[in-house]
């Protein structure tokens, strides 16, 4: 179940978000929201996977604040970042 999921790595470089999960047996829903406009610029449902790569090319603007939200089963994780 989702209690076994563990986020191990988040790397924002070259407009790629790299998410690395260990022992995750649930589907994962990921969204990225521009906090200045409240626009969801990315949302996708992923099946069971250890590694997810999000291509943010052309979606992120400098000097903007964003929220990455990850939903695994009933667990919601989120974090804010600035480009």
């Amino acid at each position: 179940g989702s209690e076994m999921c563990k986020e191990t790595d988040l790397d924002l470089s070259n407009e790629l978000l790299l998410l690395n999960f260990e022992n995750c047996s649930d589907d994962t829903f990921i969204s990225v929201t521009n906090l200045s406009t409240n626009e969801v610029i990315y949302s996708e449902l992923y099946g069971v996977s250890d590694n997810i790569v999000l291509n943010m090319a052309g979606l992120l603007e400098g000097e903007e604040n964003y929220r990455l939200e990850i939903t695994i089963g009933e667990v919601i994780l989120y974090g804010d970042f600035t480009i």
Side-chain angles (χ1 to χ4, degrees), residues 53-71:
V53 178
L54 311 182
N55 186 347
M56 298 280 100
L59 297 176
L60 303 176
E61 300 177 27
E63 310 280 325
E64 295 284 346
N65 296 313
Y66 296 91
R67 173 165 291 162
L68 171 68
E69 189 169 297
I70 303 169
T71 304

Side-chain angles (χ1 to χ4, degrees), residues 30-56:
I30 298 175
S31 67
V32 178
T33 302
N34 181 324
L35 294 177
S36 301
T37 64
N38 270 345
E39 178 186 1
V40 176
I41 61 169
Y42 186 92
S43 64
E44 191 72 42
L45 178 64
Y46 291 88
V48 175
S49 176
D50 285 337
N51 296 293
I52 298 173
V53 178
L54 311 182
N55 186 347
M56 298 280 100

Side-chain angles (χ1 to χ4, degrees), residues 21-36:
F21 297 95
E22 291 179 359
N23 303 317
C24 191
S25 59
D26 289 325
D27 289 345
T28 303
F29 180 76
I30 298 175
S31 67
V32 178
T33 302
N34 181 324
L35 294 177
S36 301

